[in-house]
Amino acid sequence: MATAMGLAALSLGMAALAVGGLAIAVALTVREVSRARGGTSVRPGFAVAAGALYLASVPYLVFFIWLWFVD
């Protein structure tokens, strides 16, 4: 029982980190789009960081939602 509670707390914590990463990725995307619309060149490091955050957070959130709410 204690192991199950620990795993549940761990998955909730990881979901919170994934939501935070997704929020940061969205903020970076909005910032870079506004820079591009203003005529300034896009910084490739920020674009790569946003892409990595999307790739790290979205699949985990999909898995978390499936695990907690569908299964």
Side-chain angles (χ1 to χ4, degrees):
M1 183 71 170
T3 303
M5 294 298 288
L7 289 175
L10 178 68
S11 67
L12 283 172
M14 290 294 291
L17 285 174
V19 167
L22 185 61
I24 292 170
V26 168
L28 286 174
T29 302
V30 168
R31 178 181 293 174
E32 290 304 311
V33 166
S34 66
R35 281 179 56 92
R37 286 186 179 166
T40 309
S41 63
V42 176
R43 297 173 288 191
F46 281 90
V48 169
L53 284 170
Y54 281 123
L55 287 175
S57 62
V58 171
Y60 182 78
L61 288 174
V62 169
F63 172 72
F64 177 79
I65 290 168
W66 174 75
L67 183 67
W68 279 75
F69 298 111
V70 176
D71 190 32

